Amino acid sequence: MFSDTERAVYIQHIDPEQREEYLEAHNTVPDGVSQAMKRGGVTEFELYVRDDIAVCILEAEDIDAYLESIDDDESVEEWERYVAQFKHEGVNVDDDDEPIPFMECIWTLSDDASV
């Protein structure tokens, strides 16, 4: 099966003392954030949490186009600054070099015969 999307993964380290607050914050992600992600071509976003680790899986038509579309988006910046108080490390909208610490994919298993 051929996919028309790109996938990116990143990890965020939650402050163990702020874990519940981090989880609760995600019960009400602002519409402006979801809308910005959709405008940027995001087709799927998943957030997994275990202990103090949050794993984010992002699928978009074009990851670079997505990043350009959310760059300086007020809703996204406000949200990321808000949830930053619950984390030790992760997305940092003030980091011009690497605002989202994407991981490198080093191995894949696929049932796609064309791979």
Side-chain angles (χ1 to χ4, degrees), residues 85-103:
Q85 67 184 317
F86 311 126
K87 302 182 291 189
H88 289 302
E89 180 182 21
V91 174
N92 181 351
V93 294
D94 296 317
D95 184 338
D96 293 332
D97 294 328
E98 187 181 42
I100 302 177
F102 290 124
M103 300 177 76

Side-chain angles (χ1 to χ4, degrees), residues 12-114:
Q12 305 196 83
H13 295 276
I14 304 167
D15 178 347
E17 295 177 10
Q18 300 287 322
R19 184 180 188 278
E20 290 306 313
E21 290 84 349
Y22 180 82
L23 296 177
E24 288 173 19
H26 286 85
N27 289 333
T28 54
V29 175
D31 288 338
V33 173
S34 300
Q35 292 168 0
M37 293 175 78
K38 289 178 183 177
R39 276 194 312 273
V42 173
T43 57
E44 182 130 5
F45 184 89
E46 296 177 325
L47 173 62
Y48 297 87
V49 175
R50 181 170 179 163
D51 300 326
D52 63 344
I53 303 287
V55 177
C56 304
I57 302 172
L58 167 77
E59 289 191 14
E61 297 162 5
D62 181 327
I63 300 293
D64 290 332
Y66 161 70
L67 293 173
E68 286 179 29
S69 77
I70 64 163
D71 189 34
D72 295 327
D73 182 283
E74 191 173 307
S75 295
V76 173
E77 286 186 7
E78 184 177 313
W79 169 252
E80 291 300 344
R81 286 193 176 98
Y82 172 68
V83 294
Q85 67 184 317
F86 311 126
K87 302 182 291 189
H88 289 302
E89 180 182 21
V91 174
N92 181 351
V93 294
D94 296 317
D95 184 338
D96 293 332
D97 294 328
E98 187 181 42
I100 302 177
F102 290 124
M103 300 177 76
E104 178 182 358
C105 179
I106 62 166
W107 186 77
T108 301
L109 174 67
S110 175
D111 62 353
D112 184 352
S114 65

